Amino acid sequence: MERPVIGGQAVGTGPYAPGGALTARATVDAHGTVTGWSEGAERLLGYAPAQILGRPAVSLLAEEPAASDLPPLAELPRWHGTLALRHRDGRRLEARVLAHHRTPGDGADGGTGDGAGADGRTDGGADDTAGDWLLVTTVTGSRPRPDDELLVRLGLLDSPCCATSVYDTDLRFRGSNRSGQGALGLSNDDLRGLRMTDVLDAPVAEEIERRMLRALETGEPQYMENHARAPGESRDHAWSVDLYRLQGPDGRVLGVASTGHDMTDHYWARKRLQLIAEAGKRIGTTLDVTRTAQELADVAVPDLADFISVDLLASLGDGGTPDAAGAVGENGRLPGAGRSLVLRRIAHQSVNPGVPEAVVEPGGVDTYPVGSPPAESLRSGQAVLYQVTEPAVTEWVAEDPLRTSRIREFGFHSMMAVPLSARGTTLGVAVFARHRHPEPFQRDDLMLAEELAARAAVSIDNALRYTRERATAVTLQRSLLPQSLPEQVAVEVASRYLPAGA
């Protein structure tokens, strides 16, 4: 197999890879017998596999460690230390050895790797109940190379995901790596000599400096989390920040460092889980359709959406029986293809007081044409996600001047339409939209909206069923009452029907 070439040099053929494996690997069973031997091990100690397999591992030691110097190996998953080894030609070698204790069932196959062939491996008869040991050490030795310091420095400076900056004891910038400069939107020449409160005009900068000072004074690392938009970023990020004191070899305090890790994905995943937990507590507290729809709207805003509308099929507007908008179909059945849908607004919510974005008031009825996101979501039974610049949205609102003006006025940029259905019955649709939140909806947001809508749909369906059954029961009860009272000469008779309470 050809080796990849980087910078004109084949990978694995540098000055420290003289044509062979660079890691020595051997396996030793529970009885101390060598059961595996790699090419790297042969290069290190001079033994071919046929010369060492089946022999006691202790025969490879130049001197056997004292029992008092060894930890209880049988209880450890891993051990590391320096062993004095004997080369086949009699030379003594000291090697830093890392040993992994492999137990049955951990996926270990007994192989030694490094390209060793079948002659470098054996089943070895290891004790299946105790497992074996995999021992590894470097063939080239563990001494530093000339380029190691440069390699470490470049690895820190060029890190794409870890924003690191260093400050002197006056808390002034002395340098940042590439990610740090990118997040702050300034080069090292622009940053040097400034403080964090000079670079960020936000309360979080003051908190960072307080933590820096504490780290300098006490030597205890500080940790904090924040959610903000860095000057060099186009959107909000969640950061986990570690602050720690820097000391020279002589113990002198030189300054403090900050290391920030972007944890935005984890932050939003946690927020979504919290929102689902909150929905379980707040949605469906009553058997009232309007109250349940409003609970869904209140949960979704502002954590998920800036605006949400909850509409039900107009035929369900009066306890699930058809009304004047019967073109929609009766009892939750959608009309045929090519026909508009008539929906009744049950609830809505917004980050703005008074919900000024709404084009329909609660209780009002609106028609959604074929091809509009709410209509298509209802017909397909699938949640859909759109940017407002997509044809499906622009063509829908082109015929509706009021919706067009609302989109422009508030700057809507992203929307989701999620059907409300339960027990095979189509109930309506919830539309989530963003305008203040700069981030457009993502697939994870769509999945969260579906989860919230599903919870609400079941509760709305329960409320509708209760309303219909109660109306039926009340009608039946009233039909059993006398329609009139007999006339009496001596008394005036009056009656009242009051259904029993709980």
Side-chain angles (χ1 to χ4, degrees):
M1 183 179 69
E2 294 185 0
R3 295 179 182 269
V5 176
I6 299 177
Q9 176 178 294
V11 175
T13 59
Y16 297 96
L22 298 182
T23 302
R25 294 171 176 257
T27 55
V28 178
D29 67 17
H31 303 294
T33 302
V34 178
T35 59
W37 197 250
S38 73
E39 179 186 350
E42 181 177 356
R43 288 190 52 218
L44 180 68
L45 296 179
Y47 292 98
Q51 296 172 314
I52 196 64
L53 291 177
R55 290 178 53 183
V58 70
S59 64
L60 298 172
L61 300 177
E63 58 186 47
E64 190 171 350
S68 58
D69 295 336
L70 293 176
L73 295 175
E75 303 173 7
L76 297 179
R78 193 178 74 172
W79 175 86
H80 69 281
T82 300
L83 293 179
L85 305 176
R86 183 71 67 189
H87 194 276
R88 185 185 174 205
D89 62 12
R91 286 183 290 122
R92 173 192 172 96
L93 299 174
E94 287 196 353
R96 298 286 301 176
V97 175
L98 177 61
H100 302 274
H101 193 187
R102 307 188 300 183
T103 57
D106 65 0
D109 61 1
T112 54
D114 280 350
D119 61 337
R121 302 179 184 177
T122 180
D123 293 335
D127 185 344
D128 290 338
T129 60
D132 62 1
W133 287 84
L134 170 65
L135 288 74
V136 297
T137 187
T138 174
V139 175
T140 59
S142 58
R143 289 175 298 179
R145 301 176 181 175
D147 290 340
D148 280 357
E149 185 174 344
L150 175 62
L151 193 63
V152 171
R153 185 163 62 89
L154 291 177
L156 296 175
L157 293 177
D158 293 342
S159 170
C161 59
C162 180
T164 300
S165 299
V166 292
Y167 312 77
D168 59 23
T169 52
D170 293 324
L171 306 186
R172 299 191 176 276
F173 278 97
R174 303 313 307 166
S176 296
N177 68 353
R178 183 179 300 179
S179 290
Q181 295 174 66
L184 295 170
L186 296 170
S187 68
N188 274 332
D189 289 339
D190 297 323
L191 288 168
R192 196 171 292 112
L194 298 176
R195 291 176 59 146
M196 178 63 77
T197 47
D198 300 324
V199 176
L200 294 180
D201 185 19
V204 66
E206 299 177 2
E207 177 63 19
I208 290 174
E209 287 199 347
R210 282 194 293 270
R211 305 274 184 126
M212 285 184 184
L213 189 59
R214 192 178 307 163
L216 274 176
E217 293 174 345
T218 66
E220 298 178 357
Q222 304 294 310
Y223 176 80
M224 62 181 294
E225 295 182 4
N226 62 70
H227 185 256
R229 182 182 302 183
E233 300 287 349
S234 59
R235 62 188 181 94
D236 288 357
H237 285 257
W239 297 92
S240 64
V241 182
D242 290 279
L243 305 163
Y244 46 97
R245 188 169 72 184
L246 302 175
Q247 296 179 235
D250 58 357
R252 184 167 55 96
V253 176
L254 302 177
V256 64
S258 69
T259 300
H261 297 273
D262 188 343
M263 49 177 272
T264 305
D265 291 341
H266 298 286
Y267 171 84
W268 283 114
R270 188 168 59 192
K271 291 284 286 184
R272 293 184 182 103
L273 288 174
Q274 291 173 344
L275 195 59
I276 290 174
E278 187 71 12
K281 298 176 183 177
R282 296 174 55 185
I283 296 177
T285 60
T286 68
L287 286 172
D288 181 270
V289 175
T290 301
R291 174 81 174 271
T292 300
Q294 191 61 52
E295 288 168 347
L296 167 61
D298 293 342
V299 166
V301 176
D303 289 334
L304 177 59
D306 298 321
F307 170 79
I308 178 177
S309 62
V310 183
D311 298 339
L312 298 186
L313 294 173
S315 61
L316 300 175
D318 184 18
T321 57
D323 58 12
V328 176
E330 297 183 2
N331 299 321
R333 290 193 299 272
L334 298 176
R339 300 177 62 183
S340 298
L341 298 182
V342 181
L343 302 176
R344 176 176 281 108
R345 178 63 47 83
I346 303 300
H348 54 212
Q349 187 56 277
S350 167
V351 292
N352 295 312
V355 198
E357 304 96 324
V359 298
V360 181
E361 293 300 317
V365 173
D366 198 11
T367 300
Y368 292 83
V370 175
S372 64
E376 291 310 301
S377 174
L378 272 172
R379 290 193 181 281
S380 67
Q382 301 294 321
V384 293
L385 188 158
Y386 290 100
Q387 306 307 311
V388 297
T389 54
E390 294 184 42
V393 179
T394 57
E395 293 173 5
W396 167 36
V397 302
E399 304 299 326
D400 191 333
L402 182 56
R403 273 198 170 84
T404 300
S405 66
R406 291 286 195 271
I407 289 175
R408 291 175 178 172
E409 178 184 356
F410 293 97
F412 284 100
H413 58 80
S414 183
M415 65 172 292
M416 300 183 293
V418 184
L420 298 171
S421 60
R423 304 180 180 97
T425 301
T426 300
L427 303 173
V429 63
V431 176
F432 303 76
R434 280 181 176 175
H435 55 75
R436 181 181 296 178
H437 195 296
E439 287 296 303
F441 289 119
Q442 305 295 329
R443 297 299 303 180
D444 286 345
D445 297 314
L446 190 66
M447 294 173 61
L448 175 58
E450 289 179 300
E451 175 69 21
L452 298 180
R455 290 172 181 262
V458 171
S459 296
I460 289 173
D461 186 53
N462 287 340
L464 288 170
R465 289 170 182 265
Y466 168 77
T467 300
R468 287 194 296 267
E469 292 169 2
R470 183 177 183 279
T472 300
V474 169
T475 301
L476 177 61
Q477 289 171 347
R478 290 188 180 278
S479 69
L480 298 176
L481 297 175
Q483 301 302 308
S484 62
L485 295 173
E487 295 184 2
Q488 299 290 337
V489 176
V491 296
E492 293 183 355
V493 179
S495 68
R496 178 190 181 193
Y497 170 61
L498 184 63

